[in-house]
Amino acid sequence: MHLERRRWMLGAATLLVIVLIFADISEIEEEVGAPGGSGTRRSSAKTIPSKSNRAELVINDSSSPAAVDRSNESMKYNIKTDSLKWRHNQTLSLKIRKQILKFLDAERDISILKGRLKPGDIIHYIFDRDSTMNISRNLYELLPKISPLKNKHFKTCAIVGNSGILLKSGCGSEIDAHDFIIRCNLAPVEEYASDVGLKTDLVTMNPSVVQRAFEDLINETWREKFLQRLQGLNGSILWIPAFMAKGGEERVEWVNDLIIKHHINVHTAYPSLRLLHAVRGYWLTNKVHIKRPTTGLLMYTLATRFCNAIHLYGFWPFPRDQNQKAVKYHYYDSLKYGYTSHASPHAMPLEFNALKSLHQQGALKLTVAECEGTT
């Protein structure tokens, strides 16, 4: 009798997780990237203080779904920096990798491969299941034959979000010193190099970026600016979420056409149809009840597969820094989005708290202020 009851309870718990994973998710939008050397390399960059080098994983120790703090007031004073040195907890990092591998594998899920689709195939959008798109010849041509991360492994990786917290940080050289550098939403680097660095190994590009940053390529001037950005990637992986939501297929086609026509030196990747649900499933099981992960959280989750130590920069979903100075939403423009808008499908402060907890345990390093050498 007791055995049957235990089996019933286990089945009910499993069903609940499945229901949560496949719950309705709203339409994709651009995000800030915030929750957006050796394996033990240290830096005097100001970061959140780390706790002891313990092996257990505690992301959210609440027994009930975590509420998203919309006011920001109770959170911003809770994030402090001091001179304590961060130490990488290799044991915990490996444990997180093993847990994530139960849900997804970055080597496999970073992109659909050429053998899985053919021109003319119909795809249902992840967020708009009633809408479909056809696989064009250009998209098919740019699908990789093998995973761009196949057999890849790096000692240190930097994931660079787009928060204005990077401005005047002086973190550029520290970011560029990492073995593999991930950036979000085709953010510009040259004019901000001292703060964000120059090197890029993988960059994401939501289709909306074409409209937001390049005026939908309405004339030759904007097309040339976009081409220059693509050419500046110089062999990097360009990660395009083409199958997420309806409305972006035309922009994806424009980008694919330009890459082929101008022989742009990039390795294109288009995430698998299961990636978003798999990532969300992992975080839900750790009691981080996000509606939809930001690009920054997606990249961190993927990076655990091929990075030993992961360092995050530009992850700051608050309008003021720790000294209460105003922070731009993006370091490179003047757009003013709602950090905690009820209309947003993201829960960036909640994600940030999860990343902060992982930092404190040594699983990742979260830099939120100036780096060494900044005057």
Side-chain angles (χ1 to χ4, degrees), residues 333-351:
D333 62 27
S334 300
L335 294 178
K336 298 182 182 299
Y337 297 162
Y339 286 88
T340 53
S341 168
H342 287 277
S344 173
H346 299 306
M348 288 187 282
L350 180 61
E351 286 189 6

Side-chain angles (χ1 to χ4, degrees), residues 214-226:
F214 298 96
E215 296 293 330
D216 266 340
L217 312 181
I218 58 173
N219 55 41
E220 189 61 32
T221 298
W222 285 107
R223 283 193 292 273
E224 183 60 31
K225 287 182 178 180
F226 185 70

Side-chain angles (χ1 to χ4, degrees), residues 257-275:
D257 182 66
L258 288 172
I259 290 172
I260 293 171
K261 181 179 179 180
H262 294 272
H263 307 285
I264 304 296
N265 182 24
V266 293
H267 301 283
T268 46
Y270 306 84
S272 75
L273 300 175
R274 66 183 298 276
L275 177 63

Side-chain angles (χ1 to χ4, degrees), residues 233-339:
L233 297 179
N234 193 28
S236 303
I237 299 168
L238 179 62
W239 190 83
I240 307 173
F243 314 120
M244 299 296 182
K246 66 180 181 180
E249 60 271 16
E250 188 176 19
R251 296 183 180 107
V252 171
E253 277 302 297
W254 295 343
V255 175
N256 291 343
D257 182 66
L258 288 172
I259 290 172
I260 293 171
K261 181 179 179 180
H262 294 272
H263 307 285
I264 304 296
N265 182 24
V266 293
H267 301 283
T268 46
Y270 306 84
S272 75
L273 300 175
R274 66 183 298 276
L275 177 63
L276 265 291
H277 294 312
V279 170
R280 185 167 178 259
Y282 165 74
W283 290 98
L284 281 172
T285 60
N286 283 282
K287 300 179 183 179
V288 181
H289 293 259
I290 51 177
K291 192 174 183 181
R292 194 194 78 226
T294 62
T295 297
L297 193 66
L298 277 174
M299 291 299 107
Y300 165 72
T301 309
L302 288 172
T304 61
R305 172 66 170 82
F306 56 92
C307 297
N308 181 26
I310 301 173
H311 297 208
L312 306 184
Y313 302 83
F315 283 62
W316 185 259
F318 309 109
R320 296 189 177 276
D321 66 14
Q322 296 172 108
N323 298 316
Q324 300 310 300
K325 294 181 179 179
V327 174
K328 295 174 65 177
Y329 191 86
H330 292 152
Y331 69 80
Y332 52 84
D333 62 27
S334 300
L335 294 178
K336 298 182 182 299
Y337 297 162
Y339 286 88

Side-chain angles (χ1 to χ4, degrees), residues 8-172:
W8 180 88
M9 292 177 67
L10 180 60
T14 302
L15 178 61
L16 177 59
V17 170
I18 293 173
V19 169
L20 286 170
I21 291 175
F22 291 97
D24 287 338
I25 308 174
S26 57
E27 191 168 316
I28 196 167
E29 67 176 25
E30 184 148 354
E31 59 278 310
V32 68
S38 67
T40 57
R41 176 164 54 179
R42 295 183 181 183
S43 166
S44 62
K46 297 178 182 177
T47 61
I48 300 170
S50 60
K51 294 182 180 178
S52 60
N53 196 32
R54 61 192 187 185
E56 70 272 15
L57 172 63
V58 181
I59 299 178
N60 182 357
D61 57 7
S62 173
S63 60
S64 59
V68 178
D69 186 345
R70 302 291 178 181
S71 70
N72 183 43
E73 293 298 320
S74 66
M75 297 184 68
K76 64 188 178 184
Y77 296 108
N78 205 25
I79 303 167
K80 302 293 182 182
T81 61
D82 59 23
S83 59
L84 291 177
K85 297 291 186 179
W86 176 87
R87 296 180 60 193
H88 182 212
N89 188 334
Q90 178 67 25
T91 302
L92 184 56
S93 293
L94 290 174
K95 181 176 181 179
I96 292 172
R97 178 185 298 167
K98 290 179 180 179
Q99 288 182 350
I100 290 175
L101 282 170
K102 295 177 182 178
F103 291 82
L104 71 146
D105 186 342
E107 186 175 293
R108 182 184 71 241
D109 290 315
I110 190 171
S111 182
I112 293 179
L113 302 181
K114 192 170 251 101
R116 298 296 181 91
L117 294 172
K118 62 182 184 298
D121 280 353
I122 296 174
I123 295 292
H124 286 265
Y125 287 107
I126 296 171
F127 299 136
D128 303 292
R129 295 296 299 166
D130 293 334
S131 299
T132 62
M133 68 172 287
N134 291 342
I135 300 299
S136 69
R137 291 193 175 276
N138 280 351
L139 197 156
Y140 175 78
E141 181 177 339
L142 292 176
L143 288 176
K145 293 180 179 179
I146 61 173
S147 170
L149 292 177
K150 186 173 180 61
N151 299 326
K152 299 291 186 182
H153 192 79
F154 307 95
K155 289 183 178 180
T156 65
C157 295
I159 304 176
V160 186
N162 295 334
S163 169
I165 198 73
L166 281 166
L167 291 175
K168 299 182 180 180
S169 68
C171 289

